[in-house]
Amino acid sequence: MARRTIRRALAVLPVLALAVTTAGCAEKVNTGSNTEAGGQITLVEAGKLTTCTHLPYAPFQFTQGDKTVGFDVELVDLILPLVGATEQKIFDTPFEGIKSGESLNIGKCDVAAAAMSITPERQAVMDFSAPYFNAKQALLVKKGSGLDSLEKLRGKKLGVQQGTTGETYANENKAKFGYEVVQFEDLALEQTAVKTGQVQAGINDDVVLLDFLKANPDVEVTATFDTGDNYGIAVKKGNGALLAKVNEALTKAKADGTYERIYEKWFGKKPTS
């Protein structure tokens, strides 16, 4: 949920804290898993690892038939055996609630995996895994428009997804380049707005916009902006026990080739780093 003030490559500090307790939510289960971070892992629902995300955000998470699939979904599945879960439960919720930490704080989910960039503002309200994906911002326009820079958008409308680093980047540059920022609740609405001419361009994570081109030949990506975006999987602040297991799963996947296999499946190429 590419969801996000200007992203920088950040080092995620280890968290030394106890596992989360989530009052007033669904049944919880203690897996009995002690970790180096200390404490035991408590899940929102017995036998399930509940993931907050915001749909659609292909190819990271989106609906296919009656299932939610994607790159992030498969990565989170790798955590299941480490926390005593047999199933991942997807909780689709507005991205604003995810990036603010609210969804984790009120016990809606155990982890948040929404193509979410690690930023200082988000690190203040939730704890992140080690980075698992690098992304850039990109400009989506109608094919043949000639709009290949922010400078050429002067006097025009630039669509953004609410709460994302693309929105922040657009707002930081609008005075300089003289365009109007138009906010949309989700990626699909932003992409549709570009196709239908509601806005002359849209800005979002490069990977999701490039994926959109596959089925939409009337639009194109004409520019990218290297903002140092790094995605992380988030847990409630202080939930060191669960965070340790998330990092363990990511480290193992990169070491044994699982990460590369999943990456190639969803992006059609091997990871560059």
Side-chain angles (χ1 to χ4, degrees):
M1 24 276 5
R3 290 136 161 200
R4 318 168 190 150
T5 53
I6 270 192
R7 308 173 199 177
R8 310 172 183 87
L10 298 169
V12 181
L13 299 176
V15 181
L16 303 176
L18 293 177
V20 61
T21 56
T22 50
C25 56
E27 179 186 1
K28 309 176 186 73
V29 59
N30 190 318
T31 69
S33 300
N34 290 306
T35 74
E36 291 180 2
Q40 294 181 316
I41 294 172
T42 301
L43 300 178
V44 168
E45 188 172 343
K48 299 178 181 179
L49 184 65
T50 305
T51 302
C52 275
T53 194
H54 182 54
L55 303 172
Y57 210 72
F60 293 94
Q61 54 271 328
F62 61 101
T63 302
Q64 190 173 78
D66 60 352
K67 294 182 179 181
T68 302
V69 299
F71 180 71
D72 281 5
V73 178
E74 290 202 31
L75 282 187
V76 173
D77 277 344
L78 302 178
I79 306 167
L80 301 184
L82 301 181
V83 297
T86 58
E87 177 186 345
Q88 179 181 175
K89 180 179 178 180
I90 301 295
F91 182 75
D92 182 22
T93 188
F95 188 69
E96 281 292 323
I98 297 175
K99 75 159 192 169
S100 69
E102 179 186 5
S103 297
L104 291 165
N105 288 336
I106 64 177
K108 292 293 186 181
C109 49
D110 302 300
V111 300
M116 181 163 55
S117 293
I118 304 168
T119 70
E121 294 79 9
R122 293 170 189 173
Q123 285 179 306
V125 294
M126 65 187 91
D127 289 331
F128 282 93
S129 69
Y132 69 88
F133 192 89
N134 307 117
K136 298 178 181 179
Q137 292 300 303
L139 197 66
L140 181 73
V141 300
K142 295 197 79 169
K143 185 166 285 187
S145 69
L147 301 172
D148 58 4
S149 68
L150 295 181
E151 186 175 8
K152 290 185 178 179
L153 292 178
R154 189 172 301 277
K156 297 178 171 58
K157 295 180 180 181
L158 175 62
V160 301
Q161 181 182 347
Q162 181 182 11
T164 64
T165 51
E167 178 182 29
T168 301
Y169 189 78
N171 283 329
E172 289 180 345
N173 285 281
K174 68 179 180 180
K176 178 180 179 180
F177 295 113
Y179 50 73
E180 178 186 351
V181 173
V182 180
Q183 189 184 72
F184 296 93
E185 184 178 354
D186 60 44
L187 173 65
L189 291 174
E190 179 190 347
Q191 292 168 329
T192 299
V194 175
K195 281 177 64 70
T196 58
Q198 297 176 57
V199 296
Q200 283 70 53
I203 189 170
N204 215 303
D205 294 0
D206 59 341
V207 177
V208 295
L209 295 185
L210 291 170
D211 185 78
F212 185 67
L213 301 184
K214 296 175 184 177
N216 295 274
D218 55 332
V219 293
E220 61 183 336
V221 167
T222 56
T224 58
F225 313 99
D226 191 354
T227 51
D229 287 62
N230 288 276
Y231 297 166
I233 296 172
V235 302
K236 182 178 179 180
K237 196 152 191 70
N239 192 354
L242 180 54
L243 185 63
K245 293 302 183 183
V246 173
N247 279 325
E248 182 182 336
L250 291 175
T251 299
K252 183 177 184 298
K254 289 187 176 183
D256 66 13
T258 302
Y259 177 89
E260 182 176 283
R261 175 183 57 77
I262 296 173
Y263 190 104
E264 193 167 8
K265 171 183 176 180
W266 290 105
F267 305 114
K269 60 181 180 180
K270 293 183 183 297
T272 54
S273 60

